Amino acid sequence: MVTMVSTVGKVTEALRERVPPLSSIPLPRTVDERWLDARWPVRELAPPPAGSGLKPVLGDDGPPLVGHVPEMMRFGIEFGLRRYEMYGPVSFMGGFGRRIVALSGPEATQIALVNKDKAFSQEGWRFFIENFFERGLMLLDFGEHHLHRRIMQQAFTRPRLSGYVDQMGPTLREGVTSWSGRSRPRLYWALKQLTLDVATRVFMDMRGPDDAARINRAFIAAVRAGSAIVRYPVPGGRWAAGLHGRKVLERYFAENLPAKRKGDGDDLFSALCHATTEDGDRFTDTDIVNHMIFLMMAAHDTSTITSSAMVYFLAKFPEWQERARAESLALGDTVPGIEALEGLETLDLVMKEALRLVAPVPSMARKTVKDTEVLGHYLPAGSLIGVSPTVNHFSPGCWTDPMRFDPERFAEPRREDRSHRFAWMPFGGGAHKCIGLHFGSLEVKALLHEMLRAYRWSVPAGYTARWDYTALPVPADGLPVQLDPR
């Protein structure tokens, strides 16, 4: 039975690499335009309290049952921008059998993420992913979140980061070198496997390829399950696969935890087992299992997406590829440490622009725990909220020619990201800003550095990547590139 399940998993994985999801199947542009332009009855989310002077949140439910989920998955950024044009920074839409309030633009997102009146809870994430990433750091609130973050920060100190960089360097160099002879790979999948190799090496000190493949499938199933329209464990469905993936991950970490407690390893798993605050606070075994599952997902998928976007834009704009390559070659043949990676200024600019154009986490969920207001609009307690960087990253009020790839916008003296505190927010903001942002940035720069040393890559002149937003943004065709040894 185990062999059959494993075989089915491998076949499914192979199909996913070759066949785009239904939401990304190419259609005539006229069909897509009619789909995007469809209009539904405008309604109020809830009547504001009498005498409050607040305005109702307006929106529409979209088609019955599915709401606007198919459009979100298919059109991503374009869908978000059109909703903003229609309704402004505060609106609602139907999706997943619920009404979801969308907060867009720098001012609205700042209110939710800074959360001065403690009205916005992380409970919004629980609706989507609690079954698969139970009690991960992103799902915790207020005092409990603060405590767990303080403990976890011990695993992300600069000495720890420096050690992680030293560990990941050889793995990345070996992985990138292994692509030699593959002249036209679907690079997203190669990058995904490589970032998993890094995660399993640096986070868990796991070296067995069979275990790594099994864990990879479990992570993929858990991540994709959060966007399932049918949110019930129907056999063969995405929700059921995610629940199975969660069990696989729980068993793996629970079985390996005692050895990590006893040892003194320098991987993240060991670091969490031994992390202690000045007050003596530590994680329980259950905490460690939950946090490892969440951190593996967060680090693995966001690094894959960011490196894929950078590879794509460097292929489209070879002048930037050559500029970045010159800086990497200047470092010589030694695997770079943390200071050398931080000095790769061109890669830093390209990464920031790629994060602007393709935010790895396109929506951040919240839930109101009490009645509140955003920009004069009434939000009742219990409202499911989606905070999106989409509009912020493409706002003409913050960015010059925002649809254009232009890494110089992040360089001095322009620094367009300073036009508003929340103009650029790929890592979120406020108390829940990504704790691993520095680790992720170093990993992506180290990966691209190795690619620049080993290869030149390109895409056809008329090629444009199509991003599938079924869960997190993924190139629907796997990002085929021409990869040539340098």
Side-chain angles (χ1 to χ4, degrees):
M1 179 68 179
V2 174
T3 301
M4 185 179 75
V5 171
S6 176
T7 301
V8 170
K10 291 178 180 177
V11 170
T12 302
E13 189 174 343
L15 286 173
R16 286 189 62 237
E17 292 187 18
R18 293 289 175 180
V19 180
L22 291 175
S23 60
S24 297
I25 291 176
L27 294 172
R29 183 59 191 176
T30 54
V31 175
D32 280 342
E33 286 290 348
R34 289 179 63 183
W35 192 353
L36 276 169
D37 287 340
R39 296 293 180 263
W40 303 88
V42 178
R43 308 184 189 281
E44 293 183 358
L45 176 70
S52 67
L54 297 176
K55 298 174 288 187
V57 176
L58 300 180
D60 66 81
D61 295 302
L65 300 178
V66 298
H68 287 291
V69 172
E71 294 102 302
M72 283 194 300
M73 292 179 175
R74 181 171 183 82
F75 300 110
I77 291 168
E78 190 174 7
F79 173 77
L81 292 174
R82 291 208 182 192
R83 296 290 292 185
Y84 185 83
E85 291 173 3
M86 289 171 59
Y87 292 111
V90 186
S91 66
F92 83 85
M93 67 178 187
F96 303 105
R98 298 283 300 271
R99 283 181 168 178
I100 304 171
V101 177
L103 301 183
S104 303
E107 299 298 335
T109 55
Q110 177 171 314
I111 291 169
L113 296 183
V114 174
N115 199 16
K116 286 184 178 180
D117 63 353
K118 301 294 190 290
F120 296 92
S121 162
Q122 299 300 110
E123 287 184 21
W125 280 118
R126 294 172 192 168
F127 173 78
F128 293 102
I129 64 172
E130 183 175 28
N131 289 279
F132 318 105
F133 298 100
E134 180 182 359
R135 292 185 60 76
L137 187 66
M138 191 171 68
L139 279 73
L140 302 181
D141 268 313
F142 309 124
E144 185 179 35
H145 167 260
H146 179 69
L147 173 61
H148 279 242
R149 191 177 177 101
R150 282 184 60 222
I151 300 173
M152 192 178 293
Q153 193 62 56
Q154 305 308 308
F156 289 97
T157 61
R158 187 168 179 84
R160 283 283 187 183
L161 288 175
S162 182
Y164 299 152
V165 167
D166 291 342
Q167 292 176 60
M168 74 172 71
T171 301
L172 288 170
R173 180 160 294 185
E174 180 182 353
V176 168
T177 302
S178 73
W179 300 343
S180 180
R182 300 169 62 186
S183 63
R184 194 164 174 76
R186 294 177 184 267
L187 208 58
Y188 169 79
W189 298 105
L191 291 166
K192 186 171 182 62
Q193 183 58 56
L194 184 50
T195 58
L196 177 72
D197 291 344
V198 170
T200 52
R201 171 68 183 91
V202 176
F203 278 27
M204 296 181 288
D205 198 22
M206 180 200 296
R207 299 173 187 271
D210 292 338
D211 271 350
R214 181 170 57 91
I215 294 300
N216 189 17
R217 288 193 293 273
F219 275 118
I220 291 171
V223 171
R224 290 176 64 84
S227 61
I229 295 176
V230 179
R231 308 178 77 75
Y232 187 79
V234 177
R238 187 177 292 174
W239 195 263
L243 293 175
H244 174 72
R246 168 76 192 194
K247 290 178 182 177
V248 170
L249 299 173
E250 284 180 348
R251 283 197 298 269
Y252 175 82
F253 287 114
E255 290 169 359
N256 287 275
L257 195 147
K260 296 293 184 181
R261 286 280 200 201
K262 293 178 182 178
D264 59 352
D266 53 4
D267 55 284
L268 180 64
F269 196 176
S270 298
L272 289 185
C273 287
H274 297 287
T276 308
T277 68
E278 294 178 355
D279 300 323
D281 296 308
R282 303 183 70 186
F283 286 136
T284 66
D285 287 359
T286 301
D287 289 334
I288 292 169
V289 170
N290 288 332
H291 286 314
M292 281 302 302
I293 292 173
F294 173 74
L295 286 171
M296 281 290 293
M297 177 274 292
H300 170 41
D301 278 304
T302 55
S303 294
T304 303
I305 293 164
T306 304
S307 56
S308 297
M310 291 177 69
V311 165
Y312 168 63
F313 288 117
L314 288 174
K316 291 282 284 186
F317 300 92
E319 67 277 14
W320 278 95
Q321 187 179 148
E322 293 303 325
R323 174 172 161 177
R325 179 174 291 107
E327 291 184 7
S328 284
L329 293 178
L331 295 182
D333 292 333
T334 304
V335 175
I338 188 170
E339 290 83 6
L341 290 177
E342 289 172 338
L344 295 174
E345 296 179 359
T346 297
L347 275 182
D348 196 54
L349 296 177
V350 171
M351 180 170 59
K352 288 177 178 177
E353 180 70 335
L355 286 166
R356 183 183 72 85
L357 293 168
V358 186
V361 182
S363 184
M364 303 159 197
R366 299 290 188 270
K367 187 176 182 180
T368 53
V369 294
K370 60 183 178 181
D371 291 357
T372 189
E373 62 94 12
V374 174
L375 302 181
H377 294 82
Y378 170 64
L379 274 64
S383 297
L384 187 59
I385 310 294
V387 180
S388 173
T390 299
V391 173
N392 307 32
H393 287 189
F394 292 88
S395 171
C398 298
W399 308 96
T400 302
D401 196 3
M403 294 295 177
R404 185 164 65 94
F405 175 77
D406 180 11
E408 289 287 2
R409 68 176 80 247
F410 288 94
E412 302 290 353
R414 286 173 64 184
R415 290 304 304 267
E416 293 182 6
D417 54 309
R418 292 176 177 168
S419 58
H420 189 283
R421 180 180 174 187
F422 283 84
W424 187 72
M425 45 176 284
F427 303 106
H432 284 85
K433 191 170 185 178
C434 176
I435 195 170
L437 69 92
H438 296 301
F439 172 87
S441 298
L442 289 165
E443 179 186 2
V444 169
K445 289 177 76 172
L447 196 166
L448 267 294
H449 166 77
E450 296 301 333
M451 284 190 65
L452 290 163
R453 291 180 68 256
Y455 306 103
R456 282 186 170 84
W457 62 93
S458 60
V459 292
Y463 174 80
T464 300
R466 183 182 183 92
W467 299 90
D468 165 36
Y469 285 84
T470 299
L472 302 177
V474 170
D477 59 2
L479 191 61
V481 302
Q482 181 64 42
L483 191 66
D484 298 311
R486 189 179 64 81

